[in-house]
Amino acid sequence: MKNIKIKTFVLSFFALVLFTGLMSCKKDEGESPSKSSHKVVFKLEASSGSNISTVVYGYDSQITTATSLSGTTWTSQEITVPAGTISINIAANAIGANANSTLKAQIYVDGELKREGTSSGAILSASASLSL
């Protein structure tokens, strides 16, 4: 009987911790979309000998995919994201020259680096995301 009470207590405790954790992840009421437009540029930089192959980038539901790429660098055209934009994202794949190869995915907003994601290894996959 005592063993059942302990199990019930432990289970209740973990349920409470889980519920509290989920509630703390709730979006703040004060968060709102961007109130002005922004100029955004996406950049990729791979280490020497690596080869960038694919990139997916954009904002909210305006997504662009570029495939059959090659080389160690790539830069998007400047994109004007409108007021009300919620998120900006980039994800890219590359083949590294060796296990020490790296890939950086960068988001520049109004000329300033705002986010950077990195990957290392022979198979590279880097991403970056920014909420405005």
Side-chain angles (χ1 to χ4, degrees), residues 78-127:
E78 184 176 79
I79 299 169
T80 300
V81 298
T85 296
I86 296 171
S87 68
I88 301 170
N89 304 288
I90 183 173
N93 294 322
I95 303 298
N98 56 49
N100 296 322
S101 298
T102 60
L103 175 65
K104 291 182 192 177
Q106 301 173 322
I107 300 174
Y108 287 82
V109 178
D110 298 327
E112 183 179 336
L113 177 62
K114 292 291 188 174
R115 230 19 131 240
E116 180 176 86
T118 60
S119 176
S120 61
I123 304 297
L124 301 162
S125 181
S127 63

Side-chain angles (χ1 to χ4, degrees), residues 40 42 55-65 74 76 79 81 85 87-91 107 128-130:
V40 176
F42 300 94
V55 61
V56 179
Y57 62 98
Y59 61 94
D60 294 344
S61 63
Q62 303 299 312
I63 304 300
T64 302
T65 302
W74 175 87
S76 73
I79 299 169
V81 298
T85 296
S87 68
I88 301 170
N89 304 288
I90 183 173
I107 300 174
S129 181
L130 176 67

Side-chain angles (χ1 to χ4, degrees), residues 1-131:
M1 187 71 159
K2 184 176 179 180
N3 205 11
I4 293 173
K5 287 183 179 182
I6 292 173
K7 287 181 182 179
T8 304
F9 174 77
V10 169
L11 185 60
S12 298
F13 175 77
F14 283 117
L16 178 63
V17 169
L18 178 63
F19 178 76
T20 303
L22 291 174
M23 293 308 293
S24 69
C25 293
K26 186 176 134 185
K27 185 176 179 179
D28 292 336
E29 299 298 328
E31 289 183 22
S32 61
S34 174
K35 294 180 182 171
S36 62
S37 65
H38 296 280
K39 303 287 186 186
V40 176
V41 174
F42 300 94
K43 293 184 179 184
L44 297 174
E45 183 180 312
S47 57
S48 178
S50 300
N51 196 35
I52 298 169
S53 56
T54 306
V55 61
V56 179
Y57 62 98
Y59 61 94
D60 294 344
S61 63
Q62 303 299 312
I63 304 300
T64 302
T65 302
T67 59
S68 301
L69 302 174
S70 63
T72 59
T73 62
W74 175 87
T75 303
S76 73
Q77 295 179 352
E78 184 176 79
I79 299 169
T80 300
V81 298
T85 296
I86 296 171
S87 68
I88 301 170
N89 304 288
I90 183 173
N93 294 322
I95 303 298
N98 56 49
N100 296 322
S101 298
T102 60
L103 175 65
K104 291 182 192 177
Q106 301 173 322
I107 300 174
Y108 287 82
V109 178
D110 298 327
E112 183 179 336
L113 177 62
K114 292 291 188 174
R115 230 19 131 240
E116 180 176 86
T118 60
S119 176
S120 61
I123 304 297
L124 301 162
S125 181
S127 63
S129 181
L130 176 67
S131 295

